[in-house]
Every structure is written in C-alpha cells, then in structure tokens.
Amino acid sequence: MNKADTTHLIQKQKAFFATGKTHSLAFRMHALAMLKRAIEIHEKEIHAALEADLGKSPFESYMCETGMCLAEITYQMKHLKKFASPRRVKTPLAQFPAKSYVQPSPYGVTLIMSPWNYPFLLTIEPLVDALAAGNTAVVKPSAYSPYTSALIQELLEECFDPAYVAVVTGGRKENSFLLEQPFDYIFFTGSQAVGKEVLRHAAEHLTPVTLELGGKSPCIVDSTANVKLAAKRIVFGKFLNCGQTCVAPDYIYCHESKKEELVSELKKQIMKQFGKNPLENPNYGKIINEKHFHRLQNLLHA
C-alpha cells in the first residue's frame, strides 16, 4: 500500500464514521458477534499460524491468544450497554438547577499497531475494544509474524468492509505512511524506540495515544516464600513463549536464606516443565526469527 492508498483508506473510514452507524449499540453488538464467530470458525487456522510464526502449541495459543480474545468479546458484549450509557455527575452550584451527565462517545478513526510476540491477541483484543466503543479501525499487524498477520487480514476482510475495519500489512514504509495520517486515536504495542516515533507523529495532529511499551519485571522471593510454588510460577512465566513476553520475569530479588533452595527448585522446575530435551518438546516454542535469535545469543555471550 502506497501513501495515496493509505490516505484514501483513512478518508473512506472518516466518511463511514460520519454516517453515525457505529454509534448504534446494535451495530456494535453485531460487529462483535461476527468477529467472535469468525475466531471460533478459524481457531485451528489461527493456531496453525501461531505455530508457524512462534512455535506455539494449540494449548498455549488458546490460553494466551484466541481464548483471551474470545473472553474480551464476551465481556464487552455483556457490559456494552452499561459502558455506553450516560453517567450522572454532580452539577456545579453556578449551573443550578441544571442536571449534568457524562456521555461516552467514540473517538472516530483509530489505528492499532501490534507487535509480533502475541500477534493475534495484541491485534484483536484492542480491536474488540475499539469496535465496542463505536470506532472504526485500521489494523497494522507486525511484519515479523507473517503467517499470523496474513491470517488476521483474511479473517477481518471476511467480517468487515474496509471502510469500517481495514488491515494494512507490510513493514516500516507502511508504518510511516500510516503515522502521517490524522487518526483520532492510536493504540501501539511494541518497543520504546518505536513508541517514541509513534508519539512524535501523533503530536503533529494532537492525536491521543495509548502506548504499551513493556518494562522490567522483577520477582521478589522473601524469607516467608513457598519456594517450590515460587519456582514453579517463575519458570512458567519466564519460559512462556520462549520468554518473548513483556511481563516475563527479568530478574529475581531473593532473600539470602532462600537463595540455594530457590536455585535448586528452579532447575527442577525447568526439567519438570520442559524435560531433558526441551527443543523436542512440542509445548516449547521458538524465537520469532533468526535476527532475534542471534541478538539473544550475543546477549548471553556479552
């Protein structure tokens, strides 16, 4: 997609939003129901794409991706009427005897830029919330997870008119074209470096932004800890998705009285959860691509 195509797409979405169709709760509910049905129908294909990109097992794919998306849709459909209803608030004395309320309303045309580590979840879950709130959406999945990105494009094109929900694939060039557009809201998940670029471009249009940029995630094991349980949970959290998780444990603060026991239990849990030959374990995934594999190797030997 070139710059002119991108501009035309945003104009189409702005025109569609201006019709007011997305303000209807019935319209939003129908959109969510269609998306939910599509995920259920294509669940095996989604899991196959996640396995091709990240080596995820069907169990892990459901637990961390499709299952969470389905749960979010169910939650939004259950509470949508409440979320969209006006809320009474106190009226200042100067406006007496008026009545005051807050009326939730959609932003308009939204951009969702998602990463490669949870490519289905972190694309579809924010899309669910955007649609539930009455927005249109342009979805830009990661180029690093090509199988899942292609599947997302196929699924969303099956469900929605691109004037309502569109998918743009590609890499940095397509990202640049999109960020030059005057979106009404941007939701980005990824690195701090790219997050700065997103925020810089958004500032040009005073576009509100949500940035989810990960961070550091220490584990604290104090003197009162159940060490076996702590080790079990730390290993699960660290090795899930081969550690490619923004909230994976980065380091451990351990009370000196528990150090030796914890180290021993961590070793036992790694063996118990993944076996002697983890690369042969179908429940253990892979690093997303060769570039990141070598990046991690260099970190280990630094």
Side-chain angles (χ1 to χ4, degrees), residues 47 56-64 236 283:
H47 292 175
K56 293 187 180 184
S57 67
F59 177 79
E60 183 178 344
S61 292
Y62 183 82
M63 176 179 66
C64 298
F236 173 81
N283 293 314

Side-chain angles (χ1 to χ4, degrees), residues 104 246 265 281 287:
C246 61
E265 286 298 328
N281 188 329
I287 300 302

Side-chain angles (χ1 to χ4, degrees), residues 225-273:
N226 180 332
V227 174
K228 288 185 178 181
L229 182 60
K232 180 180 180 180
R233 290 174 173 173
I234 290 170
V235 168
F236 173 81
K238 183 60 180 177
F239 285 80
L240 182 70
N241 198 21
C242 278
Q244 300 167 116
T245 306
C246 61
V247 291
D250 289 293
Y251 53 98
I252 301 172
Y253 285 120
C254 180
H255 193 275
E256 58 184 358
S257 66
K258 299 289 186 177
K259 177 185 174 182
E260 297 303 324
E261 184 184 1
L262 178 64
V263 171
S264 176
E265 286 298 328
L266 288 170
K267 291 178 180 179
K268 289 179 183 178
Q269 279 299 323
I270 293 171
M271 185 71 70
K272 183 176 181 180
Q273 292 185 33

Side-chain angles (χ1 to χ4, degrees), residues 274-288:
F274 300 102
K276 292 183 179 180
N277 299 302
L279 294 181
E280 298 175 9
N281 188 329
N283 293 314
Y284 190 56
K286 66 181 181 69
I287 300 302
I288 184 68

Side-chain angles (χ1 to χ4, degrees), residues 37-108:
R37 181 61 178 157
I39 294 172
E40 292 171 339
I41 290 173
H42 295 289
E43 186 175 311
K44 289 185 179 180
E45 294 99 310
I46 297 166
H47 292 175
L50 290 167
E51 183 177 10
D53 283 326
L54 287 150
K56 293 187 180 184
S57 67
F59 177 79
E60 183 178 344
S61 292
Y62 183 82
M63 176 179 66
C64 298
E65 305 243 20
T66 51
M68 294 181 73
C69 290
L70 292 170
E72 183 68 13
I73 294 173
T74 300
Y75 180 84
Q76 288 291 351
M77 293 180 74
K78 181 178 179 180
H79 298 283
L80 184 55
K81 185 176 180 181
K82 176 183 176 182
F83 290 159
S85 298
R87 299 190 304 274
R88 286 288 302 273
V89 294
K90 291 182 179 180
T91 300
L93 184 61
Q95 274 73 53
F96 181 81
K99 295 181 179 179
S100 302
Y101 64 93
V102 174
Q103 173 64 63
S105 58
Y107 279 94

Side-chain angles (χ1 to χ4, degrees), residues 148-224:
T148 307
S149 295
L151 193 283
I152 288 171
Q153 183 173 22
E154 179 183 333
L155 186 147
L156 294 182
E157 288 179 351
E158 177 185 305
C159 291
F160 305 115
D161 186 311
Y164 179 39
V165 178
V167 180
V168 175
T169 58
R172 293 181 180 179
K173 182 176 68 174
E174 287 75 15
N175 288 346
S176 296
F177 292 155
L178 287 168
L179 290 173
E180 291 173 4
Q181 300 299 319
F183 285 95
D184 298 303
Y185 202 97
I186 298 175
F187 187 99
F188 171 80
T189 308
S191 69
Q192 292 184 19
V194 180
K196 290 178 181 179
E197 284 298 302
V198 172
L199 195 57
R200 182 174 66 82
H201 282 86
E204 294 291 327
H205 304 287
L206 296 178
T207 302
V209 177
T210 295
L211 301 177
E212 199 283 278
L213 308 178
K216 305 307 291 180
S217 304
C219 286
I220 300 172
V221 181
D222 68 11
S223 60
T224 68

